[in-house]
Amino acid sequence: MAAEIRLLTCLTDNFGVLIHDPATKATAAIDAPEAAPIIAALEREGWQLTDILITHHHHDHVGGVAELKKKYRCRVVAPQDKAAKIADVDLRVGNGDVVKVGNLLGRVVETPGHTLDHITYVFDSEKTVFAADTLFSIGCGRVIEGTHPMMWDSLLKLRALPDDFKLYCGHEYTAANVKFALSIEPDNPALQARAAQVAKLRAANQPTLPTTMGEEKKANVFLRADEPSVAAKLHMKGAAPAEVFGELRERKNKF
Ligand SMILES: [Zn+2]
C-alpha cells in the first residue's frame, strides 16, 4: 500500500510533512517546526504520530519535538552528530542507515553544508525525498556551517536520485529562488515553465511543493553548477563546479 503524505505550513514559511503507512497506521513527521499545526493535521486525518524524523538541529525544524513527544510518546530520530545538541532523541542515524516507519523504509543520506549534521531521508519505494534545508525547489540552503565544496557534494548526492522522485523541502522559498535563477539563466525553458507554474500556485495561495527531481535537474541553477553555460554566464569558464556553485551561492546571499 502506498504511503499517504500531507504537507502543512508551519511558522511563517516552514513546511511540516507527515508520511503515513496505511498498512500499519504508523505516521512520521519529517521535522517538527511547531507542534500545533502538526497535531491539527494528525487529528484531521485520525492518525497517531509514531515517529519524528529530524533533518538538522535548527530551531525551526525541532521547535515542536518536545511537545509532540510528550503527547504521542513517539520515537525521535535525529542525525548522529551529537555536537548539534538535539534534545529528546531516541535513535541517532547516519549515512546508509534505514529508518522504519511501520513498513515504510527511509534511507538516510548525509547532506552536510547548510549545517554539519544535516541529513536527508529518501523513501525509495515511495519515490520520495525529504531534503529539508539542503535542496529547495530552484534553490538550496544557505551554507552556514559547512563549505561550498561540501554543499556541492551533498547536492550531487541528491542529483543522483531518479527523475521521478518527488522532492519535499523545508521552506516555501520557491518564488524568490525563481527570481534569482532567472537572473542567471533567463533563457532556460524548464526554468521559465517552472516560473509560470510557481506564479500561478502562489497567486492561488497554494504550495509549490512537491516537485520532482527531474524538474529540478533541468530548472534549478544550483544543481547546474557544472553546466558550461552557467560557468560562462558567471565569467568562470573552466572553473571547478564547486567554485561555480560557491559563486552562485554568494550571489544569491546578496540578491
Ligand atoms: Zn535550517
Side-chain angles (χ1 to χ4, degrees), residues 56-61 114-115 118 133 136 144 171:
H56 67 297
H57 69 85
H58 281 161
H59 185 72
D60 63 327
H61 293 256
H114 173 68
T115 61
H118 200 299
D133 290 1
F136 296 127
I144 298 171
H171 292 267

Side-chain angles (χ1 to χ4, degrees), residues 118-209:
H118 200 299
I119 57 176
T120 293
Y121 295 94
V122 180
F123 286 76
D124 291 287
S125 66
E126 309 305 316
K127 300 186 174 193
T128 298
V129 46
F130 299 104
D133 290 1
T134 295
L135 177 61
F136 296 127
S137 181
I138 320 297
C140 73
R142 276 178 191 262
V143 180
I144 298 171
E145 294 178 6
T147 63
H148 290 142
M150 184 190 282
M151 185 68 158
W152 172 243
D153 268 358
S154 293
L155 293 179
L156 287 180
K157 288 186 196 170
L158 300 184
R159 197 176 70 173
L161 293 168
D163 286 357
D164 61 347
F165 273 38
K166 285 191 281 295
L167 171 68
Y168 287 84
C169 317
H171 292 267
E172 179 58 89
Y173 288 163
T174 317
N177 290 339
V178 161
K179 254 190 213 170
F180 172 74
L182 281 170
S183 77
I184 306 292
E185 293 197 288
D187 302 322
N188 177 338
L191 175 58
Q192 291 167 344
R194 181 69 170 140
Q197 184 191 46
V198 166
K200 221 176 183 178
L201 288 167
R202 295 312 292 150
N205 208 20
Q206 295 291 313
T208 60
L209 297 172

Side-chain angles (χ1 to χ4, degrees), residues 10 12 23 35 59 81 89 96 106 129 136-137 160 172 187 189 214 229 244 251:
C10 294
T12 322
H59 185 72
D81 181 355
V89 176
V129 46
F136 296 127
S137 181
E172 179 58 89
D187 302 322
S229 61
V244 177
R251 288 191 186 206

Side-chain angles (χ1 to χ4, degrees), residues 31-57:
D31 286 333
E34 58 175 336
I38 294 174
I39 293 170
L42 288 162
E43 287 178 354
R44 208 159 47 231
E45 301 293 344
W47 295 347
Q48 285 288 321
L49 192 66
T50 52
D51 302 271
I52 301 173
L53 310 185
I54 298 171
T55 60
H56 67 297
H57 69 85

Side-chain angles (χ1 to χ4, degrees), residues 11 33 46 52 64 68 70-71 76 81 87 97 132 149 151 173 233:
L11 304 171
I52 301 173
L68 290 169
K70 196 167 161 213
K71 184 171 169 69
V76 177
D81 181 355
D97 286 345
M151 185 68 158
Y173 288 163
K233 181 74 193 184

